[in-house]
Amino acid sequence: MKGTKGRRRFLDYPRQGREGPRRWLPSWRQWLGLLSLGMLGLAGLLAVVYAKIDVPDENELAGKQATVYHWSDGSEMVSVGAVNRQNVTLDKVPDSVENSVIAAENETFYSDAGVSLKGIGRAVVSMVSGGETQGGSTITQQYVKNTYLSQDQTVTRKVREFIISLKVSNQKSKHDILRGYLNTSWFGRDSYGIEAAAHAYYGIDANRLNPSQGAVLAAVLKGSEQYDPGLSKANHARAVARWEWILDRQVTTGKMSKEERAKYRTFPEPRKLSKPTSQAGQTGYLIDVANKFIKARTGLTDKDLARGGYHIHTTFDKERTRRLEKAVNDVRRKEIDPKHREADDFVQFGAASVRPGDGAIVALYGGPDATKHFSNNADTSAVPAGSAFKPFVLAAALQEEVEDGEGGEDGEGGEDGEDRKTAPVNGEQTPAEKLGGALLMGQSPPFVQAGKRIGLERIRDLAVQAGLRKESMAQLEQTFPLGTSAPSAIRMASAYTTFANGGLHQEPYAVSGMTYDGKKVPGLSRPKAEQVLDAKVAEQVSNSLRIMGWLTLGRDGGLGPEQPVAAGRTEPGDRMKSAWFIGSPSAAEPGFGPGTGAKTGKVVRPDRAPGAGESNEPTTAVIMFRNKAGTPALLPMQGVGGAKSKLGTTLPPKVWQAYQQGS
């Protein structure tokens, strides 16, 4: 009877003898029973999964495939591979390096069962909830992922990793697991394994690494993109902090004495970054831009790409890239003479061509040689735009007039609290029309006043919508409309295509397609074009830029009387430390006669439909600046190219012309 009562009490639901909410709340015995059943079920499920999942054969990590980059016509640009790895035994790895890796990655390596329930649980929850992918794996789990599984961040792969790690931990010794881990781990700089990493970072065999150098290599295991000290100042700071932590951690765990730790107070700087000779010339810069696009769209990392097996079809036109490089080299050879003019020292060029129709990056010039000059000048955000930024201010002023009903109403106050009065009085020009004349005549004060009237945030937001990156925008100070922001050549070319496209912005892209083992890699689809400017506004800005091209290059722009040029540029009066020219061949004739353009300061308002007659020739941005390696500030431009160059502002247009006319 007692057993029956006990059974009835457990099964009795809703609970008899209880009233209100307590009748429906399970008792503690019921909760305990349900929990026990759940744990038994989970244990049974894990037992079944454990029995069904076998340790697979090792994957094809050992560099049997290369990654091939293709030109836009499908021909091969370069083959990057195979995986840079040389296996070594643990007797070739100093104990201090092993201790650094264990302290950094898995302090309980020699005592744990090969898995971290807490770490894998956190990773699974993050993935299921759509959060950021997380690690939290033990050395054994990382070894299993490197050796037996793919790099996919999925729940299924994580479960398989967990089960296989348990089996591997039972089947292999800790010695073998650590050896395998050190030989398969990604250290950045195209290096898999400790031996390749020792050569990439310090130019020595792994057995010659000292404890301090070993701690640096252990630090980059966390992610070379964030911890390789040669990539950026931020990376260097992170690497130093983690290097110190790893050494201190070894003291805490008893693997290093305080006396030995005291010997390592100076960070052991690795060798400078280098690229393989196959990436010489412009190739390395092209790969850099393509990889950035891939990583931003697909979530793949440098580590994933370095494994090989990908076919990457870029948007880069082989012939245009050759012509652009030749144009820069020809102008440099003719105009830059550092042997006789000190001002011509440290002169650098960058350039990028973006197709208006779809945003394809068809060519770029990143520097003289990617294996010697590592910064990509086509993609740098460290050079102020100067007057080349002013068309965005003009566009903001014109857009304001459109939104205010073609200037019929007073708007809200600007930054100085005054009303924005855009309606002409007694036939006078509107503020935007006056601004158009100021653009053509190289005047700056009207743009400062426009910033106060329109609002700096409005100008910044329009420039970003047109294609510039918000992170490249300068602080919103009084001089902001004069071009203190530092967009890249790629982004400036892209943003200027927005004017040519009738206000329609298409994000620039560098990769048209990508496959792995013959299967399409998802995530590379481009976002749809977005109307960010009124079509009439875009046409008015384009018309001003056509006149600017006429003033800079001559009536035919050096291309022929039927193909004028819409162009933006820096002015000699900018007193900035850069020179820009952004030009786009156009099939439309610029209006430039009595009552228009520079003579009256009016913006031309043609009657033809926006975009009619436009060509799909790429918009090309050319940038020139002076930068001495190791110094953060740009050098002055005065005297570059000789006295006639007007602070060097004539040289980027010459590069552009040579590129357009090149053969």
Side-chain angles (χ1 to χ4, degrees), residues 117-434:
L117 287 171
K118 182 179 178 181
I120 197 169
R122 185 171 60 248
V124 169
V125 169
S126 179
M127 284 185 288
V128 170
S129 63
E132 196 174 306
T133 57
Q134 296 188 21
S137 299
T138 64
I139 283 177
T140 304
Q141 286 175 262
Q142 294 180 61
Y143 164 66
V144 165
K145 182 175 64 175
N146 293 341
T147 307
Y148 301 106
L149 301 173
S150 70
Q151 299 297 304
D152 297 337
Q153 292 288 348
T154 63
V155 174
T156 301
R157 204 271 295 157
K158 275 289 184 183
V159 171
R160 293 189 68 216
E161 174 192 304
F162 181 82
I163 298 299
I164 295 171
S165 296
L166 285 173
K167 290 193 171 186
V168 167
S169 185
N170 290 329
Q171 296 171 9
K172 290 179 177 286
S173 67
K174 293 290 187 180
H175 178 280
D176 289 339
I177 292 172
L178 183 59
R179 174 180 55 80
Y181 173 70
L182 288 174
N183 282 320
T184 59
S185 291
W186 168 252
F187 287 84
R189 301 198 178 190
D190 293 325
S191 57
Y192 273 98
I194 191 67
E195 180 71 9
H199 281 276
Y201 284 85
Y202 292 106
I204 58 177
D205 291 337
N207 62 4
R208 294 176 54 199
L209 290 168
N210 64 39
S212 186
Q213 293 167 333
V216 172
L217 297 186
V220 299
L221 280 171
K222 189 173 178 65
S224 62
E225 294 174 355
Q226 297 292 316
Y227 289 90
D228 182 341
L231 291 177
S232 67
K233 291 182 179 179
N235 272 32
H236 192 278
R238 282 189 290 265
V240 171
R242 188 157 178 82
W243 164 78
E244 291 177 337
W245 178 84
I246 290 171
L247 290 174
D248 291 340
R249 191 64 187 160
Q250 290 179 74
V251 175
T252 302
T253 59
K255 296 297 182 180
M256 179 182 288
S257 67
K258 292 183 179 180
E259 292 74 20
E260 185 177 7
R261 170 66 182 91
K263 298 177 183 178
Y264 309 117
R265 296 299 179 188
T266 302
F267 184 74
E269 298 290 349
R271 306 170 75 183
K272 291 184 178 180
L273 287 163
S274 63
K275 290 183 180 289
T277 55
S278 63
Q279 297 184 33
Q282 298 307 302
T283 303
Y285 303 123
L286 298 174
I287 290 174
D288 173 63
V289 170
N291 285 352
K292 283 183 178 178
F293 180 81
I294 291 167
K295 290 184 289 185
R297 293 303 177 91
T298 66
L300 293 172
T301 65
D302 285 331
K303 176 181 178 180
D304 299 323
L305 294 172
R307 285 175 170 270
Y310 294 96
H311 279 267
I312 298 170
H313 295 268
T314 74
T315 60
F316 305 125
D317 183 290
K318 183 177 182 179
E319 176 59 20
R320 286 188 179 277
T321 300
R322 182 196 66 79
R323 281 167 44 193
L324 185 54
E325 182 178 27
K326 183 177 184 297
V328 173
N329 290 339
D330 287 349
V331 170
R332 177 183 287 277
R333 185 176 61 254
K334 293 176 183 178
E335 306 286 347
I336 304 298
D337 187 9
K339 292 183 178 180
H340 297 91
R341 280 194 299 268
E342 185 178 349
D344 286 0
D345 268 336
F346 312 115
V347 170
Q348 296 187 33
F349 288 89
S353 286
V354 177
R355 194 164 56 210
D358 61 356
I361 305 171
V362 298
L364 59 82
Y365 177 87
D369 189 333
T371 64
K372 299 174 182 177
H373 176 80
F374 301 120
S375 176
N376 190 340
N377 292 347
D379 199 30
T380 183
S381 294
V383 182
S387 293
F389 184 81
K390 290 178 180 177
F392 301 105
V393 184
L394 173 60
L398 290 166
Q399 187 75 19
E400 179 192 43
E401 289 188 359
V402 169
E403 293 174 359
D404 286 347
E406 289 295 327
E409 298 179 4
D410 291 347
E412 296 177 359
E415 290 191 355
D416 55 2
E418 296 179 0
D419 287 341
R420 296 197 302 258
K421 296 181 179 181
T422 56
V425 179
N426 298 326
E428 292 183 2
Q429 300 169 0
T430 67
E433 288 177 325
K434 293 179 180 179

Side-chain angles (χ1 to χ4, degrees), residues 544 551 597:
S544 290
L551 294 172

Side-chain angles (χ1 to χ4, degrees), residues 491-575:
R491 283 286 162 174
M492 280 291 272
S494 173
Y496 267 62
T497 66
T498 302
F499 301 136
N501 275 342
L504 197 66
H505 173 63
Q506 179 70 63
E507 275 290 289
Y509 72 103
V511 176
S512 58
M514 182 177 177
T515 62
Y516 182 76
D517 283 344
K519 297 180 181 178
K520 183 178 179 181
V521 175
L524 289 173
S525 59
R526 303 189 304 278
K528 293 182 180 179
E530 183 179 355
Q531 190 75 36
V532 299
L533 280 177
D534 182 86
K536 188 180 294 184
V537 168
E539 178 58 27
Q540 289 174 269
V541 176
S542 293
N543 196 76
S544 290
L545 294 177
R546 291 185 195 105
I547 300 172
M548 184 79 75
W550 187 91
L551 294 172
T552 305
L553 302 174
R555 189 167 185 80
D556 64 4
L559 303 178
E562 301 303 321
Q563 199 175 35
V565 177
R569 67 184 184 193
T570 46
E571 297 285 349
D574 279 355
R575 297 187 178 276

